[in-house]
């Protein structure tokens, strides 16, 4: 269920959703941390208070101090160094009567007993407290009294151990720890340490402020990163998806693929690759459509001839006329078969070319192999001699190519030259280098040459200008050569020989 929900979201929404989950988890852990900071800080204060209380009780018991005002006053004056880091130490007898208070240590000794009657937390009798409050106006109303705390403490399970309670107000954070004093298993009084622990509040506030600032900063970073992610990455990817949909649906809508192609990053490279792939695919589709249309057109003529000849043959009685019609039928069938065979071979070649890889090959060795094969056949059959000539027999002519496709190029050119050559003629295959170190392959024959004003058309699909041998050639041989030459990044040019009769086909391969 959750995985399906994530799959349905866009990349940007996934990013924001995951960040929200992480943010909530971190926020929850932070709240737990803040919640535990305060108890830990209070616990540390309590431990310090407890240590001071234990030390004080130890001194009281060791010095045999009685919980009376005079004894306690002398004790507080003599041991005030114990309480230098504390705000206030208060001592009570077992009846919860105040017998000592460090707040009075700096006062005149005669006022000690009166000052001890003043307890901020309503410990003494109400009459004395009200009188002193009205005169000195130093006592403020509290929500909790130490008397109540001590009463509850004496009846609780914590009795006998240090107990700490907290009073929080707008201007201070008061922390008070109390513990009873026992002599011979008898409770003789209580000792209370009070400290204004605003540092705890400050520490908590400081942590809260830091966490708040960090959360705001992280939020800003996520927002900026989301904007950059959407503006410079997700939006271009979305445009690419839109571009592919427009191509798929053959829509006429305009796309901004050119803007993406102008980028210098990976998305620009991807856009260029996608556009090139799309154009190449469209070119292949257009090529296949044109090829099929041309093939249908080429097949229609012999089919029409077949139909006419078969109809006439059915009605003809004359044996000589029937023999001519049968020859026509055979000729047209062979022509259709040749067209289909060559077309099938082209399709196979295109599939193979997409899988084959180019490598560095020696053109002279390949040309020599093809020339030797053709000489073995046509020198005996028609007396045609094919001569391989290279400008420097010691030099190697390396090109980047597919070996069997280079063989096919040379073989098709030789086939074409032989078909135009009379018996006992010569065909020259010449390999050389030009001034730019490009390798040039020439096939020169002594045939009839080209009748066309523009020799470019001889490489067109199904083109054939052979009225004497009509139907014997599919017109695809030189077109196959042209396609293979283009595949190798080479150029091909055809012309008539200037010095003697015949044709010259020249292929220039790029420098390795």
């Amino acid at each position: 269920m959750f995985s399906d929900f994530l799959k349905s979201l866009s990349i940007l929404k996934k990013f924001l959703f995951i960040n929200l989950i992480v943010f909530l988890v971190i926020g929850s852990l932070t709240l737990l941390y803040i919640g535990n900071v305060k108890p830990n800080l209070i616990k540390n204060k309590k431990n310090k208070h407890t240590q001071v209380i234990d030390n004080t009780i130890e001194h009281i018991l060791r010095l045999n101090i009685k919980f009376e005002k005079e004894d306690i006053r002398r004790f507080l004056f003599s041991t005030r160094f114990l309480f230098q880091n504390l705000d206030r130490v208060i001592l009570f007898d077992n009846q919860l009567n105040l017998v000592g208070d460090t707040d009075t240590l700096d006062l005149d000794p005669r006022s000690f007993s009166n000052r001890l009657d003043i307890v901020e937390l309503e410990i003494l009798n109400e009459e004395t407290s009200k009188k002193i409050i009205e005169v000195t106006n130093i006592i403020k109303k509290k929500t909790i009294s130490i008397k109540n705390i001590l009463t509850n403490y004496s009846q609780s399970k914590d009795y006998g151990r240090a107990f700490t309670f907290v009073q929080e107000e707008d201007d201070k954070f008061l922390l008070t720890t109390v513990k009873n004093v026992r002599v011979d298993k008898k409770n003789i009084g209580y000792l209370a340490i009070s400290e204004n622990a605003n540092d705890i509040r400050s520490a908590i506030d400081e942590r809260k402020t830091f966490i708040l600032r960090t959360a705001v900063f992280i939020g800003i970073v996520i927002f900026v990163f989301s904007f950059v992610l959407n503006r410079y990455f997700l939006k271009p990817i979305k445009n690419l998806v839109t571009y592919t949909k427009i191509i798929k649906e053959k829509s006429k809508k305009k796309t901004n693929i050119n803007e993406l192609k102008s980028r210098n990053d990976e998305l620009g490279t991807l856009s260029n690759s996608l556009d090139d792939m799309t154009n190449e695919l469209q070119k292949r589709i257009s090529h296949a459509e044109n090829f099929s249309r041309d093939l249908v057109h080429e097949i229609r003529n012999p089919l029409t001839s077949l139909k006419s000849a078969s109809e006439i043959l059915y009605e003809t009685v004359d044996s000589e006329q029937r023999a001519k019609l049968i020859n026509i039928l055979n000729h047209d069938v062979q022509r259709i078969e040749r067209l289909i065979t060559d077309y099938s071979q082209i399709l196979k070649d295109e599939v193979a070319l997409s899988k084959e890889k180019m490598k560095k090959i020696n053109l002279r060795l390949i040309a020599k192999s093809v020339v030797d094969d053709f000489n073995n056949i046509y020198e005996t059959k028609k007396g045609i001699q094919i001569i391989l000539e290279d400008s420097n027999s010691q030099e190697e002519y390396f090109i980047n190519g597919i070996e069997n496709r280079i063989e096919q190029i040379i073989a098709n050119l030789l086939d074409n030259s032989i078909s135009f050559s009379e018996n006992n003629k010569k065909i020259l295959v010449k390999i050389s280098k030009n001034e730019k170190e490009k390798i040039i392959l020439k096939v020169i024959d002594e045939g009839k040459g080209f009748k066309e004003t523009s020799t470019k058309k001889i490489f067109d699909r199904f083109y054939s200008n052979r009225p004497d041998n009509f139907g014997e050639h599919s017109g695809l041989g030189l077109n196959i050569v042209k396609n293979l030459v283009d595949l190798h990044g080479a150029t091909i040019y055809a012309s008539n020989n200037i010095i003697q009769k015949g044709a010259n086909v020249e292929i220039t391969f790029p420098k390795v």
Side-chain angles (χ1 to χ4, degrees), residues 5-35:
F5 171 72
L6 278 180
K7 290 178 181 178
S8 65
L9 298 177
S10 63
I11 296 177
L12 179 61
K13 291 181 178 178
K14 284 179 183 176
F15 173 78
L16 294 175
F17 179 75
I18 292 174
N19 274 279
L20 176 62
I21 296 298
V22 173
F23 203 76
L24 290 175
V25 171
I26 295 176
S28 300
L29 295 175
T30 303
L31 291 176
L32 291 175
Y33 167 73
I34 290 295

Side-chain angles (χ1 to χ4, degrees), residues 235-248 255-258 260-262 265-283:
K235 190 175 180 180
I237 292 175
K238 186 178 180 181
N239 291 337
L240 286 177
V241 173
T242 303
Y243 172 73
T244 57
K245 287 182 178 179
I246 290 174
I247 297 299
K248 179 182 177 182
T255 62
N256 58 349
I257 187 70
N258 291 328
L260 297 177
K261 288 168 63 177
S262 63
D265 55 11
E266 289 79 1
L267 282 173
T269 304
L270 176 61
S271 301
N272 279 287
S273 300
L274 183 61
D275 191 47
D276 292 342
M277 182 180 66
T278 302
N279 292 334
E280 183 65 25
L281 183 60
Q282 289 177 333
K283 189 187 298 182

Side-chain angles (χ1 to χ4, degrees), residues 358-376:
M358 292 190 181
K359 60 181 181 180
K360 189 176 180 180
I361 55 176
N362 192 335
L363 181 61
R364 186 170 68 84
L365 295 179
I366 296 173
K368 185 177 185 304
S369 175
V370 177
V371 168
D372 290 344
D373 291 341
F374 270 75
N375 277 329
N376 291 334

